[in-house]
Amino acid sequence: MAQSVLKRKTGVIVGDDVLHLFNYAQEHKFAIPAINVTSSSTVVAALEAARDKKAPIILQMSQGGAAYFAGKGVKNGDQEASIAGAIAGAHYIRSIAPSYGIPVVLHTDHCAKKLLPWLDGMMTEDEKYFEKHGEPLFSSHMIDLSEEEVEWNVQTTAKYLKRAAPMKQWLEMEIGITGGEEDGVNNEDVDNNSLYTQPEDIYHIYSTLVKISPYFSIAAGFGNVHGVYKPGNVKLHPELLGKHQAYVKDKIGAKEDKPVFLVFHGGSGSSKDEYTKAISYGVVKVNLDTDLQYAYLTGIRDYVLKKKDYIMTPVGNPDGEDKPNKKYFDPRVWVREGEKTMSARVAEGLEDFNTAGQL
């Protein structure tokens, strides 16, 4: 079981525990879903599913999601809301995660060039936390410079990995563009060839970063697209990931078949077969967001439609003009319905990625 390789069995894990968990995932052919969270409600929905399915989970905040955690009324011109919200969310997750009895990787999502001040602010907080506690506040971060020139992407990523390395903090990077649109980053019109990463690039990244730290993963493009799309409209080629692994293995003379930790972006809408193939080639993390946003909505939507006549006024419903409606419009009631449907969709992902039952 996965917890056998972890020093910290429950709550937010860091450093070698993250490395050991990802190694274990590769060996046992499963990937861990990375759930975008924007509130305490979405956090507990994800944790509940992972607890019930006896699985590890990755909780991540995007720049926009972190700002939402702080509150939409907070100015964010210099990323101050995104920094404050990410820190607040991290402390909340650290506080509540042990109650669910599972290991949690605390991560931040896509950080493009224009958002680097956000990453800088979070890493400053990581360093402060490290001084007090001997570990960073966040388990890991993602830096996404895939829209930039390859060499600048690699060298800038290396700079940030050097900063993270003393804290044994994981860093995820992206090479090859993920199509579609997510959280204000729009790649809907990119050339399809840009969606497929070349093995030479993977080796260049690996050989550069491994000299600094073993705590890194690569989100390689194999046709991935963010958002919702019709089946057949996106041509995923997970077999390319196998070629990347074979190329790196040959170049470095590795004994293991999967020397690179890979990440699957744009996971919403993909088939179980596509997930399974990608995982077989060393994917240890699969991002889920769009499907979960819709799942969260459905619970609230269906509740409102079903209880419409009980939420139109504070008092008065089909059961009587003087009947109070508080038990119907209390946010704890209808928000909970969204949590239930989101949690069910997370549970589906845990089954699809073979994560369920790994603890």
Side-chain angles (χ1 to χ4, degrees), residues 94-234:
R94 276 186 167 273
S95 297
I96 203 66
S99 299
Y100 288 81
I102 56 169
V104 175
V105 177
L106 176 54
H107 182 66
T108 60
D109 203 8
H110 293 271
C111 180
K113 182 180 180 180
K114 65 182 180 181
L115 302 180
L116 286 176
W118 174 51
L119 179 56
D120 289 330
M122 291 187 294
M123 292 191 76
T124 295
E125 193 67 21
D126 283 319
E127 289 158 346
K128 292 177 182 177
Y129 195 89
F130 183 81
E131 288 180 7
K132 293 181 179 179
H133 304 283
E135 65 185 54
L137 177 61
F138 294 88
S139 312
S140 57
H141 294 294
M142 181 192 180
I143 183 169
D144 178 6
L145 305 175
S146 56
E147 293 182 318
E148 312 304 324
E149 189 271 327
V150 171
E151 192 59 26
W152 192 86
N153 179 355
V154 175
Q155 294 308 319
T156 305
T157 297
K159 182 184 75 172
Y160 277 93
L161 187 60
K162 287 176 183 176
R163 185 175 178 183
M167 300 182 283
K168 291 189 174 182
Q169 187 176 52
W170 198 272
L171 190 65
E172 175 187 334
M173 68 87 68
E174 182 165 349
I175 185 76
I177 294 172
T178 300
E181 188 277 334
E182 182 179 60
D183 213 358
V185 177
N186 194 322
N187 293 322
E188 293 176 311
D189 298 321
V190 297
D191 180 353
N192 278 349
N193 290 331
S194 299
L195 304 180
Y196 302 99
T197 304
Q198 302 305 308
E200 293 83 1
D201 288 334
I202 299 297
Y203 171 65
H204 177 43
I205 295 162
Y206 179 88
S207 60
T208 301
L209 300 186
V210 77
K211 296 171 186 175
I212 301 167
S213 166
Y215 308 106
F216 68 91
S217 51
I218 303 173
F222 56 100
N224 322 51
V225 174
H226 286 136
V228 180
Y229 47 86
K230 293 180 180 179
N233 281 11
V234 175

Side-chain angles (χ1 to χ4, degrees), residues 38-61:
T38 57
S39 64
S40 62
S41 178
T42 51
V43 167
V44 300
L47 290 174
E48 198 170 303
R51 178 200 63 196
D52 293 350
K53 288 294 182 178
K54 296 181 172 55
I57 197 82
I58 300 170
L59 300 183
Q60 62 186 24
M61 287 174 278

Side-chain angles (χ1 to χ4, degrees), residues 5 10 66-67 120 136 138 189 191 269 276 285 296 298 311 350 356:
V5 301
T10 65
D120 289 330
F138 294 88
D189 298 321
D191 180 353
T276 301
K285 172 180 179 278
Y296 191 92
T298 59
I311 59 174
L350 291 166

Side-chain angles (χ1 to χ4, degrees), residues 226-248:
H226 286 136
V228 180
Y229 47 86
K230 293 180 180 179
N233 281 11
V234 175
K235 304 298 182 184
L236 289 177
H237 291 282
E239 70 278 4
L240 294 176
L241 302 179
K243 294 180 180 179
H244 297 338
Q245 296 283 20
Y247 188 87
V248 175

